[in-house]
Amino acid sequence: MAHLLKKEKDYRYIEVGEGTPIIVLHGLMGGLSNFDAVTEHFSKKGYKVIIPELPIYTMSLIKTNVKSFANYLKSFIEFKGLDEVILLGNSLGGHIGLYYTKLNPNKVKALIITGSSGLYESAMGGGYTKRSDYEVIKKKAQDVFYDPAVATKEIVDEVYETVNDRNKLIKTLAIAKSAIRHNMAKDLPKMNTPVCIIWGKNDNVTPPEVAVEFDELLPDSELFWIDKCGHAAMMEHPEEFNTILNGWLEKRGF
């Protein structure tokens, strides 16, 4: 299902449905289409699902960091005139959501993180020395998922194009360094926002112990596992992901 990309001011985003706003934050190499199943499901359940295109490769190099992306999210939320949003972030998107919530706790009703960076950053910037070798990049893309078939040729081509674009590669590495710099371990115990943690049991990028640590450090969190699942649960097991999230939102009255 292809949704129309809206272009207003400096923002490009998808917006579907009416109701409580859920703002979805994609990862470093994650397209907006990664969240098609989430968009379809929750836009029919009384939520307005909004997915902004984050300026990961369009910010100046000096601003290519987690804090700048959180500030971009702040300006986008203000532009949309939203108050008390639910944030849902995968990978780098989870980190941006956590950082935004730390700075603007009264603006976030709830936060959902899946395969989030913020505590452990091994895989974001490494392993691109053989970036011109398509098969190496294909293997790297497949390793993100439990089932390598989820890494379609389209996904592999996009990753290959990204890491072979010198400007994008430099920014990818800058983001990886920024993610390490903006480690959230000291901040999490002070964050009282309700957090739903949905994690793949077979995540190679941010391993299961990272989810356990998030759950231990956050004061009001619940951790849910998806079996036979890698780093992008909402892509690999969309129905199970939606069922877990739906149940949590209903239980919490969001």
Side-chain angles (χ1 to χ4, degrees):
M1 176 76 193
H3 295 290
L4 192 66
L5 196 63
K6 293 188 175 185
K7 296 169 190 172
E8 292 181 315
K9 208 178 161 200
D10 302 329
Y11 306 107
R12 291 155 62 91
Y13 62 98
I14 286 167
E15 182 175 355
V16 190
E18 285 303 326
T20 304
I22 297 179
I23 297 183
V24 176
L25 305 166
H26 62 82
L28 188 58
M29 295 187 193
L32 309 195
S33 62
N34 294 8
F35 294 91
D36 277 355
V38 167
T39 308
E40 281 299 294
H41 181 86
F42 289 97
S43 62
K44 293 174 180 152
K45 288 267 186 184
Y47 297 93
K48 184 196 288 272
V49 181
I50 306 170
I51 316 181
E53 210 171 71
L54 298 172
I56 287 174
Y57 299 118
T58 52
M59 287 266 198
S60 64
L61 188 58
I62 199 159
K63 284 190 173 171
T64 302
N65 58 58
V66 173
K67 188 175 180 183
S68 290
F69 299 145
N71 287 333
Y72 177 89
L73 175 60
K74 182 174 192 282
S75 64
F76 176 71
I77 288 171
E78 285 168 358
F79 166 73
K80 291 295 294 171
L82 300 171
D83 201 42
E84 282 209 273
V85 297
I86 295 169
L87 297 178
L88 190 174
N90 171 237
S91 201
L92 173 70
H95 199 164
I96 295 166
L98 284 159
Y99 202 84
Y100 174 84
T101 303
K102 170 193 155 180
L103 299 176
N104 309 277
N106 57 332
K107 290 281 185 187
V108 182
K109 189 180 286 199
L111 178 62
I112 301 104
I113 56 173
T114 179
S116 178
S117 59
L119 287 176
Y120 173 89
E121 275 53 69
S122 77
M124 281 180 68
Y128 295 125
T129 45
K130 292 187 175 161
R131 67 181 193 272
S132 61
D133 186 328
Y134 187 85
E135 288 305 312
V136 170
I137 297 303
K138 181 179 176 182
K139 175 78 174 76
K140 200 166 170 59
Q142 288 174 336
D143 283 348
V144 170
F145 306 103
Y146 175 79
D147 176 3
V150 182
T152 58
K153 185 175 186 303
E154 191 183 8
I155 288 171
V156 177
D157 287 351
E158 199 173 317
V159 174
Y160 184 78
E161 184 271 322
T162 298
V163 298
N164 281 285
D165 176 324
R166 191 167 177 276
N167 178 43
K168 287 183 176 178
L169 181 67
I170 288 167
K171 290 189 172 175
T172 299
L173 298 173
I175 290 164
K177 285 181 184 155
S178 156
I180 294 164
R181 259 200 329 273
H182 292 97
N183 186 289
M184 306 283 299
K186 290 193 177 75
D187 303 308
L188 298 177
K190 301 175 207 142
M191 292 170 59
N192 293 307
T193 305
V195 182
C196 177
I197 305 167
I198 306 175
W199 221 267
K201 267 193 178 164
N202 312 89
D203 188 338
N204 295 321
V205 182
T206 42
E209 56 267 28
V210 180
V212 172
E213 194 178 346
F214 269 119
D215 192 36
E216 285 170 353
L217 289 171
L218 285 158
D220 184 8
S221 63
E222 274 183 89
L223 171 57
F224 301 91
W225 296 106
I226 297 184
D227 203 12
K228 296 184 177 168
C229 179
H231 187 55
M234 70 288 164
M235 288 175 74
E236 211 164 352
H237 292 280
E239 287 181 12
E240 196 172 340
F241 183 92
N242 288 342
T243 300
I244 289 169
L245 179 51
N246 203 57
W248 186 79
L249 291 169
E250 279 183 5
K251 186 172 118 183
R252 289 301 190 109
F254 298 136

